[in-house]
Amino acid sequence: MDPEQTLLDAQGVAERTALAWQRTFIGLLAVGALVVRWTIAERFPAWPGVILTALVGLAGLFLVRWRYERVRRTVRAGQTPASRYLVPGAAIFMVVVILGVGAGILFEYTHL
């Protein structure tokens, strides 16, 4: 395979990865917006949903570009861009966020 074809493949793989990350963050932003709407409708403080939405938005701003560059670099080097830490890290992050939102809701229920 010639170097130009490798560069095109690396950019295509990186672009698909970036688009997948963007879709994921858009979905998480939608979940955050629904949490905010639900907490307002139920007359709870909106801060858990606002914090979730803000964290996801900030993470999306930085992680999408970072993953794009990492995937592009590793594919161009002939390596696999798969990270063995990404899936467990994302799962742990989501569990922490869910527990945080749940703790906030529980706190509000117990202090009415």
Side-chain angles (χ1 to χ4, degrees):
M1 187 179 281
D2 64 26
E4 186 176 323
Q5 185 65 32
T6 303
L7 177 62
L8 290 175
D9 288 345
Q11 289 174 340
V13 169
E15 185 70 24
R16 287 188 299 273
T17 301
L19 289 171
W21 275 91
Q22 286 174 347
R23 285 190 306 269
T24 301
F25 281 110
I26 288 170
L28 291 174
L29 286 171
V31 169
L34 288 173
V35 168
V36 170
R37 183 182 183 281
W38 176 78
T39 56
I40 291 172
E42 295 295 323
R43 301 196 193 288
F44 291 121
W47 65 265
V50 170
I51 290 174
L52 170 69
T53 305
L55 287 175
V56 167
L58 287 173
L61 287 174
F62 297 107
L63 287 178
V64 170
R65 181 70 179 172
W66 176 76
R67 286 294 295 175
Y68 173 82
E69 291 298 330
R70 183 178 179 278
V71 168
R72 195 169 137 241
R73 233 182 2 257
T74 55
V75 170
R76 286 181 76 184
Q79 300 171 347
T80 179
S83 172
R84 61 182 157 170
Y85 302 114
L86 182 63
V87 172
I92 289 170
F93 174 76
M94 288 307 298
V95 167
V96 168
V97 167
I98 290 168
L99 290 175
V101 170
I105 291 171
L106 181 64
F107 178 79
E108 290 301 321
Y109 266 127
T110 59
H111 289 89
L112 288 177

